[in-house]
Amino acid sequence: ENEYVMKCIMRSLNVAKDDLLDVVSIVLEKLTSALGVVAKNPKNPQYNHFLFESIAVLIRAVCSKDSAHTSAFEHFLFPPFQTILQMDVVEFTPYVFQLLAQILEFRPEGAGLGDGYTSLFPPLLTPTLWERKSNVPALSRLIVAYLGKGAKDLVPHLMGMLGVFQKLVSSKANELFAFDLLRAIVMYMPQEAFMPRMKDIFQILLMKLQHGKTPKFVGLVTHFFALFVGKFGSQGYLDQLNRIQPSLGLMLLGQVWIPRLQSSSPT
């Protein structure tokens, strides 16, 4: 487990790029074999980091040229990834979530989630996974990737995802990831699935706006409201607010939107 050798491999893969297409199976098999070994006894963090980075470089180099290669990565990597998640190898789970998200993002349009990703999804909503700070960025990216590729298949898990959103938005450190998830739900899921829950979602946001108002949160919440207006119209947005309290939309306009515009340009 020589970290200098693995770092050299990573850089070589990064330089090779297009030339990897002809040998992707050979390289992937070698990296997967090395992953299986270190997963049993992680003891060299630098080596492990460069190993996962090598796999990430390989995925990006190959799948960006031909998304059909995602099936090969799923074939080789799913077994060791499942083992790592089942054994709860804490050092490796953030890497696994990141790579799963990367592969899923490259998955061909219209291909759906596939059996592997579908069976893997329910455990991703387990609360204990989200309690580890190191998991949150990669897990959030993975859930967003799921929604981008197969939102209709995830409708039965909407309440679980909203539970994750509520947990994340309650933390200043994780509120950015909460809005990543919420935006993906609104952008990709069928409207009839999440719209009945929008009143509850707006109430959660307004409660945080009332008791935990910071410039960062104001920026995040107004960005989400702007997305909602763009997708469902200004009247749809005002209707949601007025269901909570009459004239609440006008109140927010004066107390939140206008001060935000005066203090900083929208992004």
Side-chain angles (χ1 to χ4, degrees), residues 130 135-145 164 168 177-178 180-181:
W130 294 89
N135 281 345
V136 171
L139 260 179
S140 300
R141 177 183 173 185
L142 179 54
I143 300 299
V144 170
V164 169
L168 294 177
F177 304 110
D180 287 343
L181 176 58

Side-chain angles (χ1 to χ4, degrees), residues 4-70:
Y4 299 105
V5 172
M6 188 53 69
K7 185 177 183 180
C8 181
I9 291 172
M10 180 196 71
R11 289 184 171 177
S12 298
L13 292 174
N14 195 38
V15 171
K17 294 185 179 179
D18 294 357
D19 295 333
L20 291 169
L21 291 173
D22 295 331
V23 295
V24 58
S25 295
I26 298 172
V27 177
L28 185 55
E29 185 177 359
K30 297 295 184 182
L31 293 175
T32 304
S33 177
L35 178 59
V37 173
V38 298
K40 297 175 183 177
N41 184 25
K43 58 185 180 182
N44 188 334
Q46 288 282 27
Y47 174 87
N48 298 335
H49 173 77
F50 290 127
L51 172 58
F52 280 103
E53 284 297 314
S54 295
I55 297 173
V57 168
L58 188 63
I59 293 170
R60 183 173 62 250
V62 173
C63 295
S64 62
K65 296 297 180 183
D66 185 357
S67 60
H69 282 291
T70 53

